[in-house]
Amino acid sequence: MSTDKTNQSWGGRFSEPVDAFVARFTASVSFDRRLYRHDIMGSVAHATMLAQVGVLTEAERDTIVEGLSTIQAEIEAGEFDWRTDLEDVHMNIEARLTDRIGVTGKKLHTGRSRNDQVATDIRLWLRDEIDTILAEITRLQEGLLTLAEREAGTLMPGFTHLQTAQPVTFGHHLLAWFEMLSRDYERLVDCRKRTNRMPLGSAALAGTTYPIDREATCALLGFEAVSGNSLDGVSDRDFAIEFCAVASLAMMHLSRFSEELVLWTSAQFQFIDLPDRFCTGSSIMPQKKNPDVPELVRGKSGRVFGALMGLLTLMKGQPLAYNKDNQEDKEPLFDAADTLRDSLRAFADMVPAIKPRPDVMREAALRGFSTATDLADYLVRRGLPFRDCHEIVGHAVKYGVDTGKDLAEMSLEELRQFSAHIDGDVFEVLTLEGSVNARDHVGGTAPAQVMAAVIRGRSLIAQR
């Protein structure tokens, strides 16, 4: 029977064409076409290897490579006709190659399957995406370091439970985000190692009878190693799940950062100003300046969390090896990568332009008895047990609440009613500057330590 009834590569087995709706329902070309560059890259390497082992002639290889290069130019010029009836990016490119170079184009698929082809394409694509994301993390970290250096001595309240706790420096607070991003960077580098393993050569599920050289293809594509089992090679999506897990952590960090930026720009805090280009107004309230970029990044974290849950659910019930379910891996993975990359880009652009309001921050740090712990530490140095000091300072704070006075605003006589161990030098530790300067150790909030941390951060980035 003629195979002209269907355009699919597998048409010989079937006696009637696929239902039109089913063709649309099962096609993935609408979203997997973005893999075109990596699909062509993989095909060039595969054809090169086939020529090396004698399955293709050098002339056939050259014809295939030239044809694929022309097709890539067509796609990038917007002149390529993507066809839903050809299902996916792989068959669209292969069919176009055959149209251009004839029967030689049909030889390209020798020794491989769409199963190992797509697994290879996704890994190549994600490897590039990780590299781009790593660059955006670095750019954001550089912005944080620059701002932290400039604001190393800017005083602000530090919070626990969103209540004033102890004074810190704005530079120190910014460097907390630098540390979070450093962990994100490390996790992505580690994830990239497991992504950068080549399944090509696994074929459909059992390998191939052709004398392929997987190590040669691996070297051509820049993979670090080949997959060790053909069944696992075509069905493994751990790397995609791992990326979404890492991306979820990174988006959680950006979401926390966003929450603070939203709070700090509010009329209730007024700690910072964001440039107008990162904000929008209200259609009804002319006074409004809304921090839309942080709010949107905070909201977009849910998309990435959803991608992680989606992929875990997708894979949890699948038997070996490849199943059509795996077509559903691409859209959540694409969306997670796009969302993280764009969120990082927005923050990398925005953070260096943040304008702090030091006077407002300082005034806020003076409220809420932020140097209470410093008074307790002072008494400890006078020989009292810390728990007794804690109680003494608690009474002093209660007195301050009743009288409307901060600890630093009380007279020496007022303070001595709580402990005779308090002398005139106590006011050196009750100032905001005295408090932050006293925390002069690695990881502390003292301005000198902030500057040292900035130097360490720049050294870390230089070593990447």
Side-chain angles (χ1 to χ4, degrees):
M1 181 174 291
S2 171
T3 61
D4 293 338
K5 286 189 176 184
T6 177
N7 290 310
Q8 277 80 10
S9 60
W10 35 262
R13 162 66 175 80
F14 291 77
S15 59
E16 63 178 353
V18 172
D19 178 83
F21 168 75
V22 172
R24 292 194 303 273
F25 182 71
T26 58
S28 59
V29 69
S30 63
F31 52 85
D32 69 15
R33 66 177 66 179
R34 71 187 295 174
L35 296 173
Y36 76 88
R37 186 168 60 86
H38 302 90
D39 190 74
I40 290 172
M41 184 190 311
S43 291
V44 168
H46 184 64
T48 300
M49 179 275 295
L50 289 178
Q52 290 175 356
V53 299
V55 173
L56 294 178
T57 66
E58 292 186 359
E60 289 173 328
R61 174 202 62 200
D62 293 345
T63 300
I64 288 172
V65 170
E66 181 181 356
L68 290 170
S69 177
T70 302
I71 290 170
Q72 180 166 336
E74 286 181 357
I75 294 172
E76 292 173 350
E79 299 170 354
F80 191 87
D81 180 24
W82 294 102
R83 292 168 49 186
T84 300
D85 63 306
L86 290 174
E87 296 186 75
D88 55 35
V89 60
H90 323 293
M91 291 313 304
N92 267 268
I93 290 174
E94 184 178 325
R96 179 60 178 148
L97 181 66
T98 301
D99 288 343
R100 289 192 62 86
I101 68 174
V103 68
T104 302
K106 296 182 178 182
K107 295 185 178 183
L108 173 61
H109 207 54
T110 304
R112 74 175 182 184
S113 163
R114 278 191 295 177
N115 293 357
D116 62 344
Q117 186 178 359
V118 66
T120 301
D121 290 359
I122 296 174
R123 287 175 182 266
L124 289 171
W125 175 86
L126 184 56
R127 186 178 71 185
D128 283 353
E129 288 297 307
I130 289 174
D131 289 343
T132 300
I133 290 167
L134 289 172
E136 290 297 340
I137 289 177
T138 295
R139 197 162 67 89
L140 174 53
Q141 287 187 300
E142 288 171 341
L144 285 167
L145 290 174
T146 298
L147 189 58
E149 182 179 37
R150 191 169 74 231
E151 307 298 335
T154 300
L155 296 165
M156 68 176 293
F159 300 94
T160 63
H161 307 277
L162 206 57
Q163 306 294 314
T164 299
Q166 293 176 317
V168 297
T169 55
F170 185 43
H172 185 63
H173 195 115
L174 292 168
L175 291 179
W177 301 115
F178 181 92
E179 294 294 323
M180 291 183 181
L181 290 165
S182 292
R183 296 194 295 273
D184 295 328
Y185 192 99
E186 291 172 4
R187 278 186 284 263
L188 277 167
V189 169
D190 202 45
C191 175
R192 191 188 190 280
K193 295 176 184 177
R194 281 174 289 281
T195 298
N196 202 28
R197 294 174 185 168
M198 190 190 77
L200 196 60
S202 299
L205 77 161
T208 178
T209 59
Y210 294 96
I212 61 172
D213 185 343
R214 297 189 69 201
E215 286 73 18
T217 311
C218 181
L220 287 168
L221 291 173
F223 282 111
E224 296 178 22
V226 299
S227 59
N229 181 279
S230 59
L231 286 166
D232 182 58
V234 297
S235 60
D236 170 36
R237 294 299 183 270
D238 290 2
F239 66 95
I241 295 171
E242 182 179 0
F243 172 80
C244 287
V246 173
S248 293
L249 275 169
M251 287 300 297
M252 179 269 287
H253 290 153
L254 292 180
S255 183
R256 294 182 68 191
F257 197 169
S258 296
E259 173 68 8
E260 293 203 316
L261 294 179
V262 171
L263 287 172
W264 292 349
T265 58
S266 69
Q268 289 69 34
F269 278 76
Q270 298 185 36
F271 283 3
I272 64 169
D273 275 326
L274 292 178
D276 289 352
R277 63 184 180 275
F278 297 103
C279 303
T280 64
S282 165
S283 63
I284 188 172
M285 295 169 284
Q287 84 280 11
K288 293 294 293 300
K289 179 180 175 180
N290 300 323
D292 275 19
V293 168
E295 288 179 352
L296 192 56
V297 168
R298 185 177 60 187
K300 283 181 177 291
S301 62
R303 297 174 68 115
V304 180
F305 301 169
L308 172 60
M309 292 300 104
L311 286 178
L312 285 168
T313 305
L314 175 72
M315 295 303 299
K316 73 176 183 63
Q318 286 197 43
L320 291 171
Y322 183 85
N323 301 278
K324 189 67 170 180
D325 312 45
N326 284 350
Q327 182 170 295
E328 293 296 303
D329 63 353
K330 298 170 194 63
E331 289 180 288
L333 178 61
F334 292 163
D335 190 69
D338 291 346
T339 301
L340 177 57
R341 183 194 62 242
D342 291 350
S343 297
L344 286 165
R345 176 182 175 181
F347 265 59
D349 290 343
M350 178 180 64
V351 164
I354 291 174
K355 296 179 180 179
R357 292 178 168 179
D359 293 343
V360 177
M361 289 183 175
R362 180 184 177 84
E363 193 275 331
L366 288 170
R367 299 193 304 268
F369 307 97
S370 63
T371 58
T373 305
D374 297 275
L375 179 55
D377 292 340
Y378 169 88
L379 291 169
V380 168
R381 289 193 292 272
R382 291 301 179 98
L384 277 67
F386 178 79
R387 283 301 169 200
D388 292 344
C389 299
H390 189 286
E391 183 176 357
I392 290 169
V393 177
H395 289 304
V397 168
K398 184 178 185 303
Y399 174 81
V401 171
D402 293 340
T403 61
K405 292 183 179 181
D406 189 73
L407 295 173
E409 295 173 330
M410 297 178 190
S411 67
L412 180 58
E413 290 71 22
E414 286 176 300
L415 289 170
R416 283 181 65 85
Q417 66 181 307
F418 304 107
S419 174
H421 291 82
I422 297 176
D423 290 325
D425 60 348
V426 72
F427 294 102
E428 296 176 12
V429 304
L430 293 182
T431 65
L432 300 179
E433 288 80 6
S435 177
V436 297
N437 286 325
R439 288 157 172 80
D440 191 14
H441 55 76
V442 174
T445 190
Q449 291 298 330
V450 173
M451 297 301 291
V454 168
I455 293 172
R456 289 196 303 273
R458 287 187 173 136
S459 176
L460 176 67
I461 288 174
Q463 294 171 18
R464 289 176 178 170

